[in-house]
Amino acid sequence: MKKVILQPSGKEIEVEDGQTILSALEQGGYALPNNCRAGACGECKVKVCGGEIEQGFILDMALPQSEREQGFGLMCMAKAKTDVVEIEWGTADALPKLFPPKENMPYIVMEKMEVTPTIAKLRLRSLGEPLRFWPGQYVTMGDKDRGVPERCYSIANIPNNEGELVLYITKVPDGQTSTWVHESLNAGDRVKVNGAYGTFIGDPSAETPVLCLAAGSGLAPIASLASGALMRGGFRYPATILFSAKDESHVFDRGLFSYLETKFRNFRFNVTYTKQKVEGKSFGRIPEILPEKYPDLSNTSIYIAGSTEFVDACTAKVKELGAKDELIYTEGFISQ
Ligand code: FES
């Protein structure tokens, strides 16, 4: 089997005969930017620094001749010609590169729904160029004209052709922006979105089991990360989300997690309730129940998202249980 080596990280990915390099990268959990997957947009351009590719049919406007001569190629159409192909892509540890954020992107509210007693779901669709993001990143949103300050909201879905964003907004007592979302914003309204920001993108290609810990709307970036990784062939070892909820009325996005559990046998979505005892379900806060459920986390990648108090308490506990600093990724929501 042929292989592709990413530089400067040196990480290796196997490529099947006839498989495009983009597809092999995705199967390896690497999210190389792409758009048309047909050699027409130039999005998947990288420099080939070793070996040779068969470029296949691509448009000149996507990769001018001058760039081909400099060694660039479009990976959505490229196949490995030599046993080893080396490409320049990714940082030293081959994490995905971030997209430059944009401001005042026009969106329309397609749907607004109260999904728990405190969280509203917003589904937004781009009216212009869709915002580009990695699963786990966040946007900011507010209404400057009405004096509603911009606040950060994690994106809960994965990049998609419609340019849709799903946000879960927790109602914060005296929070101007969350009150505006919950009480004034409706389907059909226009909003301005900025982003994407943040580096809570982790390493979907990690060769370890994965444990994601979330509370409240911290489930949003975790949902995006987990579905993004699983759909792209990442998180290949046992991957579990453990969600902390007061009671059953505070659990949301069950449909997505049932779908992922059915489609990926290594994935589980578990809930622990902190105010209600439910037969067959865990009871208690995550830091309290972790030692019995996960006594050794020394070889597990950990993702934690929620309030800063939740993140701090969980981080301290997973470290006690052996989790390594370099395998812990956190996103703490600061109340503004
Ligand atoms: S994804 Fe458009 S050129 Fe490769």
Side-chain angles (χ1 to χ4, degrees):
M1 195 170 304
K2 294 174 177 158
K3 66 182 176 187
V4 171
I5 301 177
L6 307 186
Q7 295 298 4
S9 67
K11 291 204 175 179
E12 295 186 4
I13 293 145
E14 292 187 339
V15 199
E16 286 164 19
D17 281 338
Q19 187 180 29
T20 66
I21 294 179
L22 173 62
S23 152
L25 286 169
E26 288 175 335
Q27 276 184 9
Y30 295 96
L32 180 70
N34 64 89
N35 190 345
C36 67
R37 305 177 79 86
C41 71
E43 201 74 45
C44 62
K45 178 172 70 183
V46 301
K47 187 156 193 179
V48 178
C49 52
E52 282 181 57
I53 57 168
E54 283 170 22
Q55 180 53 93
F57 178 74
I58 57 169
L59 299 186
D60 269 345
M61 68 177 192
L63 187 70
Q65 199 58 42
S66 57
E67 290 192 333
R68 295 185 206 199
E69 284 160 13
Q70 290 165 34
F72 288 95
L74 299 182
M75 297 302 105
C76 67
M77 300 296 284
K79 294 173 184 163
K81 192 169 175 183
T82 46
D83 286 347
V84 177
V85 172
E86 290 186 54
I87 61 170
E88 279 179 14
W89 182 67
T91 57
D93 47 9
L95 294 177
K97 282 181 182 168
L98 302 179
F99 299 112
K102 296 199 170 160
E103 294 188 347
N104 294 319
M105 309 276 281
Y107 275 76
I108 193 156
V109 180
M110 301 293 287
E111 176 187 31
K112 176 184 157 188
M113 198 194 313
E114 305 289 334
V115 293
T116 79
T118 53
I119 296 177
K121 171 184 181 179
L122 287 184
R123 187 162 60 84
L124 309 177
R125 185 174 290 183
S126 171
L127 290 167
E129 193 188 328
L131 178 147
R132 299 173 66 203
F133 64 96
W134 292 113
Q137 288 196 288
Y138 64 88
V139 294
T140 64
M141 188 181 69
D143 188 344
K144 283 185 205 155
D145 299 339
R146 291 193 210 170
V148 179
E150 288 174 340
R151 293 288 180 255
C152 304
Y153 298 109
S154 290
I155 304 166
N157 60 335
I158 57 176
N160 55 88
N161 292 338
E162 289 73 35
E164 285 200 347
L165 300 176
V166 173
L167 309 178
Y168 288 102
I169 317 266
T170 303
K171 186 160 186 184
V172 179
D174 300 324
Q176 262 181 287
T177 312
S178 67
T179 303
W180 163 69
V181 169
H182 278 256
E183 295 180 5
S184 305
L185 203 60
N186 290 305
D189 289 348
R190 290 180 177 210
V191 291
K192 295 272 178 61
V193 170
N194 314 299
Y197 308 109
T199 54
F200 184 56
I201 51 181
D203 181 3
S205 64
E207 304 273 325
T208 69
V210 171
L211 176 63
C212 303
L213 308 174
S217 51
L219 189 56
I222 294 286
S224 177
L225 271 169
S227 42
L230 290 164
M231 307 285 235
R232 287 185 159 123
F235 284 9
R236 280 168 289 171
Y237 295 81
T240 304
I241 293 177
L242 181 55
F243 179 55
S244 175
K246 277 186 200 161
D247 55 41
E248 287 184 311
S249 72
H250 285 82
V251 183
F252 59 98
D253 238 354
R254 286 180 195 264
L256 170 71
F257 298 121
S258 293
Y259 169 77
L260 293 175
E261 282 186 329
T262 309
K263 201 158 161 66
F264 302 98
R265 276 193 265 158
N266 61 322
F267 173 75
R268 282 289 163 267
F269 175 68
N270 296 329
V271 182
T272 179
Y273 295 103
T274 58
K275 293 261 161 61
Q276 175 192 25
K277 293 211 166 167
V278 179
E279 204 182 327
K281 300 286 181 189
S282 297
F283 179 77
R285 296 181 182 282
I286 287 179
E288 290 155 16
I289 66 168
L290 274 183
E292 194 188 325
K293 289 188 173 299
Y294 298 94
D296 179 4
L297 290 172
S298 57
N299 184 39
T300 301
S301 297
I302 313 272
Y303 293 79
I304 310 172
S307 68
T308 46
E309 296 78 21
F310 173 81
V311 170
D312 290 348
C314 290
T315 305
K317 185 54 72 178
V318 297
K319 284 186 179 177
E320 264 176 51
L321 299 172
K324 298 191 183 87
D325 282 345
E326 63 271 26
L327 294 182
I328 302 175
Y329 307 93
T330 63
E331 184 80 323
F333 298 155
I334 299 161
S335 185
Q336 292 170 303

